[in-house]
Amino acid sequence: MRLKDRLARHGAFAFRWRGLGPLVLLPAAIPALVESVRIELWAGETWNDLWMAACLLLSFAGLAIRVATVGFVPAGTSGRNTSGQRATRLNVTGMYSVVRNPLYLGNFVILLGIVLSLKVWWFAAVFGLAYALYIERIVMAEEDFLAGRFGAGYATWTARTPAFWPRWRNWRNPDMAFSLRTVLRREYNGFFFILLAFTTLEAFTDMAMEGQSLDFWLADDWTWPALFMLGLAVHFTLRTLKKQTRLLHIDGR
């Protein structure tokens, strides 16, 4: 088997199980958490709070990239499907006019914010390398599929549009209007995931590794459980609306 075909085959496998990709970082996360606690104690609470706030904003910037993508796309594209590739049309406007993989870019920024919150430089470097290798194979499988489906049109688009780093001068206005209901239907999981990840890291490092009691943590770091409860309420509300009603559904989206 040619190396290109082998990588594409690996990419198809990774595409199917891409939601589990972050788990490969778990072995490196344990020593990173230990070092994170040491750095936090050395730097002090004020500096740590400011750093965590900046990292949280970075993750929400990644979510904003996804929102700016998903809010303009039609049905049948930019999906969360895992069983296989699908595309009824080629997206070449909006975020897709400046970068070919805006959703993966958004995911990277979301995860980067979470990883940087640990304040461990080598763990961030490991994450960056692992993500690049992982996404490269997924994108290769997707590009094989899209090239076969859209032919010359796809080749023209890839020639002018970078794969991962945006080229903003290429911007073309989206073909469709922005749909807030589509965003609410499709991105509530990402919103909750960010708040869950930050709250879990804060709770684990403070209670399991620094020995704080639950009562003390809830009183001292009340912001994180409050944000978690907000995320949980938003998640279940939007999930119920999506599963039980047609309120968030728009034909063609």
Side-chain angles (χ1 to χ4, degrees):
M1 180 182 295
R2 294 181 306 169
L3 179 59
K4 178 179 180 298
D5 295 335
R6 184 182 298 275
L7 292 176
R9 183 176 179 181
H10 291 169
F13 177 83
F15 177 86
R16 181 178 178 85
W17 301 101
R18 64 190 186 279
L20 302 178
L23 295 179
V24 302
L25 293 176
L26 283 180
I30 303 303
L33 284 168
V34 174
E35 188 170 346
S36 176
V37 171
R38 181 182 61 80
I39 294 172
E40 180 178 341
L41 294 174
W42 170 79
E45 185 174 351
T46 299
W47 183 90
N48 181 69
D49 289 344
L50 291 173
W51 181 259
M52 290 296 290
C55 292
L56 181 62
L57 289 175
L58 179 61
S59 288
F60 276 121
L63 182 62
I65 294 173
R66 289 189 57 91
V67 167
T69 303
V70 169
F72 292 103
V73 296
T77 63
S78 302
R80 294 179 178 272
N81 52 299
T82 58
S83 58
Q85 309 287 347
R86 70 179 187 187
T88 57
R89 60 182 289 183
L90 185 64
N91 292 323
V92 296
T93 62
M95 287 299 296
Y96 285 97
S97 66
V98 298
V99 63
R100 299 204 301 270
N101 301 283
L103 294 181
Y104 292 145
L105 174 62
N107 291 347
F108 173 76
V109 176
I110 289 172
L111 294 173
L112 181 63
I114 296 169
V115 168
L116 287 177
S117 72
L118 295 180
K119 303 169 287 291
V120 179
W121 70 268
W122 59 261
F123 186 62
V126 169
F127 160 73
L129 178 60
Y131 192 87
L133 294 174
Y134 185 68
I135 288 300
E136 180 184 45
R137 283 151 180 77
I138 293 178
V139 170
M140 187 173 295
E142 292 182 346
E143 289 187 339
D144 276 356
F145 168 78
L146 293 172
R149 184 169 183 82
F150 298 106
Y154 179 75
T156 300
W157 175 59
T158 58
R160 69 170 183 266
T161 311
F164 206 71
W165 302 112
R167 185 178 297 158
W168 296 107
R169 66 176 182 271
N170 284 2
W171 176 264
R172 294 175 56 192
N173 290 331
D175 292 333
M176 306 185 75
F178 182 80
S179 171
L180 178 60
R181 282 190 286 172
T182 298
V183 170
L184 294 177
R185 189 179 78 246
R186 294 180 54 178
E187 293 303 311
Y188 65 89
N189 282 322
F191 177 75
F192 178 61
F193 170 76
I194 292 172
L195 296 180
L196 173 64
F198 276 89
T199 303
T200 300
L201 285 175
E202 277 291 294
F204 184 80
T205 54
D206 288 349
M207 289 188 286
M209 304 189 72
E210 294 183 24
Q212 295 181 10
S213 67
L214 176 60
D215 290 343
F216 178 85
W217 182 76
L218 290 175
D220 186 58
D221 273 345
W222 61 269
T223 304
W224 293 110
L227 287 174
F228 170 77
M229 293 306 296
L230 171 64
L232 190 63
V234 170
H235 174 82
F236 278 111
T237 299
L238 294 178
R239 187 177 188 276
T240 300
L241 291 175
K242 175 183 177 180
K243 300 291 186 180
Q244 304 297 328
T245 76
R246 300 280 293 175
L247 184 62
L248 299 180
H249 178 79
I250 299 178
D251 290 338
R253 298 293 189 116

